[in-house]
Amino acid sequence: MSAADLPVIAILGDVNHGKSSVVATLAEDDSVGIGAFPTTTCCQRFRVRDLFEFVDTPGFQNAREALRELEEADTHREPLAVFRKFVERHRDDRFFVNECRLLEPVLAGSALLYVVDVSQPLEPRHEAEVKILRLTGSPRIALLNQTGEPRHRGVWEARLRQNFSTVIDFDAHRADFTNRLALLEALATVDLAGKARLRTAIAVLQRDRDEKLDTTARVMIDALADVLTLKQTEALRDPLRVATQRREIEERFREKLSGRETAAHREIVRTFAHRRVVVGDSATPDFLRDGLFVEKTWSVLGLSGWRLVAAGAGGGALVGAKIDLLFGGATWGLGALVGGTVGGGGALAGSHSPPKLTVRVPLFSRALVGAELTAGPVAHDNFPWIVLDRALGVFVSVSRRAHARQDEETLDATALAARLQATRADKDQAWEAVCKALAKTFREMRKGRFDDERRETAVRVLRDWLRVISV
Amino acid sequence: MRRSTNWTLADVLDFEALVAADERADDPQAAARRDAGLWREKIAPDLTPGEDGERAVVFHRWLAARRAGEPLPGTWLTGGWRAFAAGAVFAGLVLGFAVAGGALYYAGARPVNVAVFLAMIVGVQWLFLAWTLVVTLARGLRSAAGRLLVRLGERLGQWLAGAGEHLTGEQRLRLRAETVALRQLAGRNLQLLRWPPWLALQGFGLAWNLGALAALLLRVFFTDVAFGWESTWAESPLGMHTAVRLVAMPWTWFAPDACPTLAQVGHSWFHYQSGVAALDPTATASWWRWLAGVILGYGLLPRALLWLWFWTRLRAALGRVSFDEPRHKAAWQRLMGPVIQGERAHRDNLPSSGTASFAAAPRRAEPGCVLIAAPLGGVRAEIERWVETQFGWQIACVETAEIDFPSGNEAAFARFAAALTGAPRWLIAVPAPFTAFTAFAQFVERLRALGPAVPPAGFFLVVALDADGRATAPAPGWAGYWRDFTQAEMPDCATFSLTP
Ligand SMILES: Nc1nc2c(ncn2[C@@H]2O[C@H](COP(=O)(O)OP(=O)(O)OP(=O)(O)O)[C@@H](O)[C@H]2O)c(=O)[nH]1
Ligand SMILES: [Mg+2]
């Protein structure tokens, strides 16, 4: 299919009303030029596979004057011919640079998406813009965007309804995936010629979205499997200075854990193609302030004690993990010393206090030459839930974030918790079942029974849950 | 429908190795360009319409295109495996033959004890089988075995790296990279890599039984062997015969000869007191068919079944190979390009919106004319006051104008031009934010076209409105934008910001 046959949708409107923002959100592309001053000067095309194209255009800057010349289209037999003549006449006219450029896709027969900012007043030049678009006779819908208080919404809506078959709300900074699809659906109903393509494109985008959820689920599950079994083992340097080395190992173990976690978070952010979202820098030991092992994290995230018990993740798991460590380590450790980590008490008492990592050196093997110290794995019941919640927080932040947003966002423990709580996901009925399934997964991970088939099952459970909380 | 059945183990490993190498590549852009090129030239042209969304098919073509001449780990690994499996088969044959040959040693003093012979040839195998079952079922042992495999692979890689001391630096680097890739592969495709060792083991078992069978037949056909049984505990041959019949059940219905009769069992019961001479030669010889049957039915057959089972498992695992992992999706995206492909944005030079610094207003008591942009009509009085106090002007005329509609101000322009003849100084109050800049440029041009009454140099005053509609200072960004714009359009004019 050649480029000429592709249905095109042109995004038009006054300067600064958010055309590029709408485009950035639609295309999930945070590199689109957006600014508080006139920014877009040339058309920028975005192609959705080989299905259709949308075009970001420069804003109108001389609409009222242009309308004077275009008005004759009202009675002309072929309205677009008037527009074509206008563009030819003013090709090198510096007073109509933007108009000529933005009319180009219109002349090629595109459908029109008129973006207005209802927090700005409706002025005469907007009336002119609306009229120009009506004169084209092209299929068109209007989007109500808002960059601030929607004070002029009523006025705008009334005027737009007179001139556009469809007027829909689309907040470029808040629109999520369903809003985007709804917009394309609306376009499909208006632009009858491109309808089939748009429907296919919707299916393609949906599949793409599912892929992203699947990727995220896989990244999360792999990270969980990783951190739940992570250990730090080092040769005992000096039996007389065990305490010092113990502290060092503990430190290195924590660093390793947060490093793995941060890498997973980055991967999730990358999956959703956000470059203005920053997750903790693993180079700095920020986990002390903000990471996995601070009271703040543990007090707001993870499962509550009774939830842990309900999910079957309490008590037994803790004891099991401990026994694994104490005996499993001794039998498999090939002369290694046993590293044990003891969580903060039982499921109910200690589910919300961070684990105290301790590196233990059993008496009987202290004298062994070439002995090793081991820190980890973390046996605390709530540990996987904390890790999961933090990852879910990252996911919620990026999967709902519109690509039009220009602010830099740093995801710290508080932000993650707030984001997660805002979804009220734990009130969802499905959450209980998810908890049960994942509790089983975590047990399998800890016991080294986590194989490919179980991984697929866990990925499926988590992916479905991600779909629930992503919109 | 997934068409991954044509993927071999070597394919999967090679594919994963290539994907892993791309993941670690220093220049992801180069990889993306290469893959987009491969898609265009080598892959897309050969695909049938339904196939372009099939990762299994597309990736297989991609692998074929990238493989060309390059030895990849999967290829040499499976080559190695094959050699190893062949070695196992050979070793099984030789060992089975040797052990059975040894066990069938007969010098005429004491017949070959069938129980001992079977224990050595078949019993040992069953012991191993039982042990394997324990390992497979015990979770700890299983994961330990998995880790052991990974460790072994790593060691092999290290050993190879060590063996390659004479290699050039580049080759060694490459080898190291390959080792890393291999390690990742082991981590990712453990399920798949689990079966070849089992297959090799069953190959060994099969060959062992064949070797033993060959030794038995050769001994029986070409040498004199007497088989017998011994027991201190048995009181009559009846028990032994029952056991022998039971064992032979699977084949007696079609080969009744392959089991000694009660009389033959009785006549091959060996006692040291009476010696070999007391045994019946036909009875001692009659055992061999039964022995061959035991090796076939209890050694060879289970091995063959196991081999078949592991082989189908490997097939099934290959059939299940999916391409849904994040790394596969990344490779897929390199081939297909992103779902939404944006053009690289082109930017014209735009006025900057930096903070504006303005010269102090020239205070001179002179007459001047003021044009106010229509949206600022409501703060006309404030603007007049500001111009009077800051510029010291006596205002001769104030007109509101549609600054975004150049040709829509005929009457106002006429009055303005008339006033300018007596008060030859002009100032235009413009709003911020504002967006119709080309319209404004045309507006100013129209104004100047009014004739000699309009002096070339004039002033602009940028005014913002607060939420209640009162005049305030514009945001620094907007003031700066206006200043840059007016400077570019009308270099001999000066721009000021309203300061309340
Ligand atoms: N809060 C908020 N701000 C928005 C929204 N949409 C756009 N903006 C802001 O409005 C300003 C203009 O946005 P752009 O998308 O660049 O507007 P445009 O219509 O493309 O402008 P030009 O390219 O100059 O014609 C930017 O500062 C955006 O951040 C929105 O939905 N909410
Ligand atoms: Mg723009």
Side-chain angles (χ1 to χ4, degrees):
Chain A
M1 154 122 335
S2 74
D5 304 336
L6 283 190
V8 177
I9 293 158
I11 287 103
L12 305 159
D14 191 7
V15 170
N16 271 356
H17 278 230
K19 298 178 296 298
S20 300
S21 302
V22 167
V23 166
T25 298
L26 268 183
E28 300 191 24
D29 184 345
D30 62 5
S31 69
V32 176
I34 290 171
F37 305 97
T39 311
T40 311
T41 56
C42 282
C43 287
Q44 197 185 352
R45 292 172 176 271
F46 293 81
R47 177 179 287 209
V48 182
R49 284 276 181 259
D50 272 340
L51 296 166
F52 78 96
E53 224 172 41
F54 46 96
V55 187
D56 184 17
T57 64
F60 284 100
Q61 285 206 11
N62 205 354
R64 295 174 79 180
E65 204 61 37
L67 177 62
R68 270 170 28 100
E69 294 183 40
L70 293 168
E71 233 152 6
E72 64 171 299
D74 207 5
T75 49
H76 202 279
R77 261 181 306 152
E78 202 196 328
L80 280 187
V82 177
F83 282 79
R84 199 164 295 120
K85 252 185 263 147
F86 173 86
V87 170
E88 273 159 25
R89 197 158 54 239
H90 294 290
R91 192 165 295 282
D92 298 317
D93 187 343
R94 68 191 189 97
F95 298 131
F96 293 104
V97 189
N98 283 18
E99 278 69 19
C100 286
R101 288 182 179 168
L102 70 90
L103 282 176
E104 217 157 277
V106 178
L107 288 179
S110 67
L112 315 180
L113 205 63
Y114 182 55
V115 177
V116 304
D117 176 4
V118 294
S119 48
Q120 296 187 39
L122 176 78
E123 289 182 42
R125 66 171 183 281
H126 301 124
E127 307 266 13
E129 292 166 10
V130 168
K131 199 142 182 218
I132 290 175
L133 297 192
R134 190 167 60 74
L135 287 174
T136 62
S138 305
R140 58 193 182 278
I141 67 177
L143 290 194
L144 306 180
N145 182 30
Q146 56 187 73
T147 64
E149 277 294 305
R151 257 178 288 166
H152 308 280
R153 197 197 145 93
V155 186
W156 274 109
E157 202 176 343
R159 178 66 71 252
L160 293 175
R161 290 218 180 275
Q162 290 174 323
N163 293 281
F164 292 84
S165 53
T166 310
V167 179
I168 53 179
D169 279 300
F170 191 89
D171 186 330
H173 276 196
R174 298 231 181 83
D176 63 12
F177 186 66
T178 37
N179 299 133
R180 300 214 302 273
L181 288 194
L183 173 54
L184 292 183
E185 273 292 340
L187 273 168
T189 50
V190 175
D191 181 10
L192 294 174
K195 184 174 175 161
R197 298 297 194 84
L198 280 167
R199 287 267 150 77
T200 317
I202 290 172
V204 166
L205 289 173
Q206 233 149 4
R207 208 157 44 234
D208 185 53
R209 177 76 171 186
D210 280 347
E211 295 264 282
K212 284 179 179 156
L213 298 186
D214 185 72
T215 299
T216 309
R218 281 168 201 279
V219 168
M220 284 184 186
I221 290 291
D222 288 352
L224 278 161
D226 194 13
V227 297
L228 282 185
T229 51
L230 196 67
K231 281 194 284 196
Q232 175 77 7
T233 304
E234 288 173 24
L236 181 62
R237 282 197 303 266
D238 179 357
L240 297 178
R241 301 186 53 206
V242 173
T244 325
Q245 198 182 351
R246 215 187 256 176
R247 265 197 307 281
E248 288 171 13
I249 291 182
E250 201 185 303
E251 183 83 345
R252 272 193 284 276
F253 176 57
R254 287 178 168 195
E255 234 164 277
K256 215 155 130 183
L257 268 183
S258 345
R260 302 287 170 89
E261 198 203 21
T262 310
H265 289 180
R266 295 224 169 104
E267 186 77 33
I268 296 171
V269 173
R270 200 166 37 242
T271 301
F272 286 88
H274 279 293
R275 288 172 309 169
R276 291 193 191 87
V277 177
V278 188
V279 290
D281 178 9
S282 67
T284 60
D286 66 334
F287 50 86
L288 291 179
R289 273 182 287 110
D290 189 36
L292 272 172
F293 300 100
V294 290
E295 294 280 348
K296 195 165 66 179
T297 302
W298 285 74
S299 60
V300 291
L301 294 178
L303 293 189
S304 64
W306 70 267
R307 273 275 196 202
L308 276 177
V309 175
L318 182 68
V319 172
K322 253 193 247 169
I323 288 177
D324 244 20
L325 280 166
L326 293 173
F327 296 98
T331 40
W332 293 117
L334 309 159
L337 297 183
V338 180
T341 56
V342 183
L348 282 166
S351 63
H352 279 308
S353 41
K356 290 178 188 56
L357 295 176
T358 49
V359 180
R360 306 209 297 156
V361 193
L363 268 179
F364 68 86
S365 42
R366 205 170 263 188
L368 285 179
V369 184
E372 293 173 328
L373 292 178
T374 302
V378 180
H380 196 295
D381 286 339
N382 221 346
F383 180 65
W385 302 99
I386 299 277
V387 175
L388 175 69
D389 269 1
R390 283 162 60 88
L392 286 177
V394 173
F395 167 74
V396 169
S397 305
V398 291
S399 70
R400 295 182 178 196
R401 184 182 154 107
H403 286 75
R405 276 173 56 182
Q406 302 292 298
D407 55 317
E408 294 265 343
E409 188 174 13
T410 302
L411 298 175
D412 54 22
T414 331
L416 292 185
R419 227 26 90 57
L420 204 58
Q421 272 155 8
T423 65
R424 321 235 357 118
D426 54 340
K427 302 283 181 291
D428 195 291
Q429 287 197 331
W431 177 231
E432 206 144 323
V434 173
C435 271
K436 276 220 171 74
L438 289 180
K440 184 159 162 283
T441 298
F442 296 153
R443 272 199 303 276
E444 289 161 358
M445 286 173 176
R446 281 182 150 146
K447 294 184 179 174
R449 269 194 277 177
F450 191 60
D451 57 20
D452 285 4
E453 271 125 81
R454 292 187 165 136
R455 177 167 172 265
E456 283 307 314
T457 316
V459 164
R460 203 165 341 108
V461 169
L462 190 55
R463 193 209 302 134
D464 292 345
W465 178 242
L466 294 181
R467 192 169 300 130
V468 172
I469 62 173
S470 70
V471 288
Chain B
M1 197 193 73
R2 278 257 150 84
R3 270 199 5 200
S4 56
T5 38
N6 49 0
W7 282 79
T8 64
L9 185 59
D11 288 346
V12 174
L13 295 181
D14 281 350
F15 174 71
E16 291 290 1
L18 285 172
V19 167
D22 284 344
E23 265 182 321
R24 293 189 311 269
D26 301 323
D27 184 5
Q29 299 296 320
R33 276 195 301 278
R34 176 204 63 209
D35 285 347
L38 284 179
W39 168 255
R40 260 194 324 275
E41 283 149 32
K42 298 244 167 84
I43 304 173
D46 298 342
L47 290 176
T48 56
E51 285 179 336
D52 51 359
E54 291 285 328
R55 285 191 197 167
V57 177
V58 171
F59 277 149
H60 207 258
R61 303 264 163 95
W62 178 77
L63 178 64
R66 286 208 55 193
R67 238 173 194 168
E70 224 181 327
L72 289 166
T75 315
W76 56 257
L77 199 73
T78 41
W81 256 125
R82 252 180 235 130
F84 179 74
V89 167
F90 181 71
L93 270 176
V94 170
L95 270 175
F97 190 86
V99 171
L104 290 170
Y105 174 78
Y106 173 61
R110 186 185 177 189
V112 174
N113 190 334
V114 289
V116 174
F117 175 73
L118 286 183
M120 283 172 76
I121 302 303
V122 182
V124 171
Q125 294 185 50
W126 281 92
L127 270 181
F128 271 116
L129 263 179
W131 185 76
T132 315
L133 209 65
V134 171
V135 168
T136 331
L137 293 185
R139 57 182 171 78
L141 280 169
R142 196 170 61 177
S143 67
R147 281 199 293 276
L148 195 71
L149 266 179
V150 175
R151 197 80 55 83
L152 272 177
E154 245 170 78
R155 282 284 145 78
L156 188 73
Q158 280 165 3
W159 176 78
L160 278 174
E165 281 305 324
H166 60 282
L167 297 175
T168 65
E170 193 186 333
Q171 281 170 322
R172 218 170 317 155
L173 269 181
R174 195 189 147 91
L175 201 63
R176 196 167 311 148
E178 223 113 89
T179 319
V180 173
L182 211 61
R183 193 171 143 193
Q184 286 180 339
L185 288 188
R188 288 165 173 180
N189 293 297
L190 214 51
Q191 219 77 344
L192 206 55
L193 289 176
R194 202 155 78 184
W195 307 116
W198 287 118
L199 274 171
L201 201 63
Q202 301 321 313
F204 175 85
L206 272 172
W208 163 278
N209 285 304
L210 282 174
L213 198 63
L216 175 70
L217 295 180
L218 282 176
R219 279 279 193 194
V220 169
F221 290 147
F222 299 111
T223 66
D224 174 29
V225 196
F227 297 100
W229 60 282
E230 300 165 14
S231 175
T232 316
W233 170 77
E235 286 170 0
S236 79
L238 201 64
M240 184 61 175
H241 181 250
T242 318
V244 167
R245 277 213 75 83
L246 266 177
V247 168
M249 248 180 13
W251 61 83
T252 37
W253 60 271
F254 68 90
D257 281 359
C259 177
T261 60
L262 177 60
Q264 285 170 330
V265 173
H267 290 132
S268 54
W269 187 356
F270 178 74
H271 300 277
Y272 275 100
Q273 293 98 317
S274 28
V276 181
L279 302 182
D280 177 6
T282 40
T284 55
S286 70
W287 283 92
W288 74 268
R289 286 199 193 81
W290 182 81
L291 286 174
V294 173
I295 294 178
L296 275 172
Y298 294 92
L300 204 61
L301 189 68
R303 285 293 161 191
L305 289 179
L306 276 175
W307 187 90
L308 207 66
W309 191 71
F310 287 124
W311 186 79
T312 48
R313 297 315 318 241
L314 177 62
R315 287 277 104 202
L318 278 171
R320 268 202 312 272
V321 162
S322 70
F323 301 95
D324 299 331
E325 295 305 319
R327 58 184 187 277
H328 302 142
K329 289 179 195 150
W332 185 251
Q333 193 164 75
R334 281 200 301 273
L335 281 170
M336 299 291 186
V339 172
I340 303 180
Q341 176 96 57
E343 243 175 3
R344 201 168 293 280
H346 166 88
R347 301 265 161 81
D348 284 356
N349 276 338
L350 290 168
S352 76
S353 52
T355 315
S357 63
F358 295 104
R363 275 192 59 87
R364 240 177 288 157
E366 286 162 334
C369 299
V370 176
L371 266 182
I372 295 183
L376 298 177
V379 293
R380 176 180 170 151
E382 276 131 298
I383 294 172
E384 279 182 39
R385 209 169 322 119
W386 192 88
V387 174
E388 279 165 358
T389 51
Q390 299 290 318
F391 281 29
W393 286 5
Q394 301 122 26
I395 295 177
C397 132
V398 180
E399 292 288 336
T400 43
E402 307 276 354
I403 63 167
D404 61 356
F405 190 21
S407 59
N409 300 287
E410 300 299 335
F413 275 175
R415 288 196 296 275
F416 195 64
L420 272 176
T421 46
R425 233 152 248 92
W426 57 267
L427 178 143
I428 306 177
V430 293
F434 178 75
T435 52
F437 283 98
T438 57
F440 182 68
Q442 201 179 17
F443 170 88
V444 175
E445 198 180 76
R446 290 272 163 95
L447 180 67
R448 284 180 162 170
L450 290 178
V454 185
F459 300 94
F460 295 100
L461 175 64
V462 188
V463 183
L465 297 176
D466 65 14
D468 303 324
R470 281 190 302 259
T472 60
W478 272 112
Y481 195 92
W482 263 115
R483 189 206 43 194
D484 284 3
F485 174 77
T486 50
Q487 216 138 64
E489 284 281 328
M490 295 144 272
D492 40 2
C493 295
T495 305
F496 297 88
S497 266
L498 180 114
T499 43

